[in-house]
Amino acid sequence: MQTTLAPEYQNTPDGQAAEAILRKCVHCGFCTATCPTYQLLGDELDGPRGRIYLMKQVLEGQEPTRKTQMHLDRCLTCRNCESTCPSGVDYGHLVDIGRKLVDAKVPRPVTETAVRWALKEGLPSPLFGPAMALGQLVRPLLPASLKNKVPARQDAGVWPKATHVRKMLMLAGCVQPAMSPNINSATARMLDAASVQVIVAPKAGCCGAVKFHLNDQDGGKAEMRANIDAWWPHVEQGVEALVMNASGCGVTVKEYGHILRDDPAYAAKAARISALTKDLSELLPSLVPGLRGKVQTAGQPALVFHPPCTLQHGQKLKGGVEQHLAALGFSVRIADNESHLCCGSAGTYSVLNPQISYQLRDRKLENLAPQHAEVIISANIGCITHLQSGTDTPVRHWVEILDASLSV
């Protein structure tokens, strides 16, 4: 797609990066067929191809409007379109640029600005944990819209104390320790059973995704740099990997090298961090042999797996969880229909676009239901919480199921 950049975007990093991405687009429309928002709304401008045209117009000098902003806001950034694009269009990076340029020119209403500020400052804040604990205490009294975002209180269990030669870093995350603390401790116990020691750097916080995708890109980059500083001493000491058990965080940290590529002080370190980052499921092939004799699968519940978009599209990791859990004796199914589509969680999307988000949630649960599973498993805290708000069937992280099956 030929693009003639407006003078204000010529010779700028954002303009050059966007133009290079746009050149790959042949406007074939394959992306439209797999876009969740287009399937729901039926508007070309609520699909990737339409949004690409909107961003192209802005880059060529056309003034964006609130309507432009709305269509970009409605994008889930699920990146399903990337998985079906025959030309390799890097839509995820393009929409980050497009939103940044549009928001610089289109002011938001005061209420909308306040909500977005509260999300980007509140979720990564140290105060989020106490606020969540208070919410869990009064959960029965909360209206449904808030109760959906406040999971029942969970016991984290025991953190292993053994030391091992193999050591891996793990990001605790900003919301996961408060919302579902057992995911992190289950990860540590599972890796301990495979003779791997988990290290958590206390000064590492939010991965930066919340602020970055709410268009506080400078704030997101600051959090990324802080994490690199917290992890770097361990990297120098030779940790084997930086393991991620929330695929939304994992896809972001894997892109540190791209996001900070123009930062002279951090570019090389960011690239190294990205190279070390592994989703927990990527470790399973090397862990299965050591775990096989320690797992008791008799009496385990029937499982159906919802692969998060950040895992299957963002990180391009498909089939690993099902394959390797099956190798350990678990029965894991996926939905027969639309397993590739987003559940509607998408970070803060379920707060900012609740109507679309809940439609996608219910559609996802309808497609999972025919598997008659006793437990739904996933790999991202956002998906887990969002799906649980629409079903009585327990929704867990797959590592919690694996941890519970360990006999030692």
Side-chain angles (χ1 to χ4, degrees):
M1 183 182 289
Q2 186 174 356
T3 305
T4 304
L5 293 177
E8 64 183 303
Y9 301 125
Q10 291 176 2
N11 302 315
T12 67
D14 284 338
Q16 292 172 346
E19 184 180 22
I21 296 170
L22 286 168
R23 283 174 188 262
K24 292 184 176 182
C25 180
V26 296
H27 31 111
C28 64
F30 285 6
C31 56
T32 302
T34 56
C35 175
T37 50
Y38 177 77
Q39 290 196 17
L40 283 181
L41 303 172
D43 187 333
E44 174 77 8
L45 296 180
D46 284 314
R49 183 170 62 179
R51 293 184 181 113
I52 285 173
Y53 276 116
L54 290 175
M55 290 183 279
K56 179 179 183 291
Q57 289 172 347
V58 172
L59 286 158
E60 291 184 329
Q62 184 169 318
E63 283 297 310
T65 65
R66 273 287 286 167
K67 190 171 184 291
T68 312
Q69 191 177 58
M70 176 192 71
H71 288 299
L72 295 186
D73 284 349
R74 282 181 179 171
C75 174
L76 292 141
T77 323
C78 69
R79 297 168 73 167
N80 196 3
C81 53
E82 293 183 12
S83 297
T84 55
C85 176
S87 304
V89 174
D90 194 351
Y91 176 84
H93 292 153
L94 179 63
V95 79
D96 283 337
I97 296 170
R99 285 168 168 162
K100 176 183 176 181
L101 301 184
V102 170
D103 275 18
K105 294 194 170 188
V106 180
R108 294 180 180 275
V110 173
T111 302
E112 191 173 299
T113 300
V115 171
R116 293 170 75 90
W117 181 89
L119 288 169
K120 75 182 184 69
E121 298 299 330
L123 294 179
S125 169
L127 297 177
F128 178 80
M132 179 57 63
L134 178 60
Q136 290 171 330
L137 187 65
V138 298
R139 189 173 185 272
L141 306 177
L142 295 176
S145 59
L146 285 178
K147 188 181 293 186
N148 287 346
K149 307 300 178 187
V150 180
R153 187 175 179 180
Q154 183 186 75
D155 181 15
V158 178
W159 190 277
K161 297 180 180 179
T163 59
H164 300 286
V165 174
R166 296 182 67 187
K167 301 182 191 301
M168 296 183 186
L169 277 166
M170 184 177 73
L171 176 64
C174 51
V175 302
Q176 188 164 278
M179 297 180 75
S180 190
N182 189 53
I183 295 175
N184 285 344
S185 55
T187 300
R189 290 190 295 268
M190 186 271 284
L191 289 173
D192 176 66
S195 300
V196 178
Q197 183 181 349
V198 170
I199 300 168
V200 175
K203 292 185 179 180
C206 178
C207 68
V210 173
K211 289 185 177 181
F212 194 86
H213 292 301
L214 285 172
N215 207 32
D216 181 4
Q217 295 191 7
D218 289 338
K221 288 178 181 179
E223 291 176 331
M224 295 173 192
R225 294 185 190 102
N227 286 344
I228 292 170
D229 289 340
W231 291 327
W232 200 250
H234 300 284
V235 173
E236 292 182 317
Q237 292 168 16
V239 291
E240 185 177 331
L242 173 55
V243 60
M244 295 286 162
N245 57 16
S247 59
C249 298
V251 72
T252 298
V253 179
K254 285 185 175 184
E255 294 193 339
Y256 276 17
H258 171 81
I259 295 169
L260 297 174
R261 65 194 182 281
D262 297 322
D263 187 323
Y266 281 88
K269 289 183 176 180
R272 175 66 176 144
I273 290 294
S274 292
L276 280 172
T277 302
K278 302 291 182 186
D279 182 78
L280 186 59
S281 66
E282 291 182 89
L283 303 179
L284 280 175
S286 67
L287 301 178
V288 164
L291 292 174
R292 187 173 279 117
K294 301 176 181 179
V295 172
Q296 299 293 332
T297 57
Q300 288 291 325
L303 306 172
V304 62
F305 179 53
H306 161 61
C309 298
T310 44
L311 186 69
Q312 62 175 328
H313 307 311
Q315 299 187 57
K316 305 292 192 290
L317 297 173
K318 294 184 71 172
V321 172
E322 308 96 291
Q323 175 187 347
H324 300 301
L325 287 183
L328 289 169
F330 293 93
S331 174
V332 185
R333 298 178 179 178
I334 61 169
D336 292 329
N337 297 311
E338 298 186 349
S339 65
H340 60 290
L341 285 189
C342 183
C343 71
S345 173
T348 58
Y349 191 94
S350 63
V351 177
L352 299 172
N353 298 276
Q355 184 176 0
I356 296 173
S357 175
Y358 287 128
Q359 283 182 279
L360 289 171
R361 179 201 67 183
D362 295 343
R363 183 169 175 159
K364 177 63 64 177
L365 289 169
E366 287 174 7
N367 283 315
L368 292 170
Q371 301 302 323
H372 302 292
E374 296 171 87
V375 178
I376 299 169
I377 56 174
S378 192
N380 190 57
I381 180 63
C383 302
I384 292 166
T385 304
H386 187 56
L387 290 173
Q388 189 66 83
S389 70
T391 181
D392 292 329
T393 302
V395 186
R396 310 288 297 280
H397 194 292
W398 63 262
V399 77
E400 296 181 275
I401 303 300
L402 179 52
D403 167 64
S405 74
L406 291 172
S407 59
V408 292

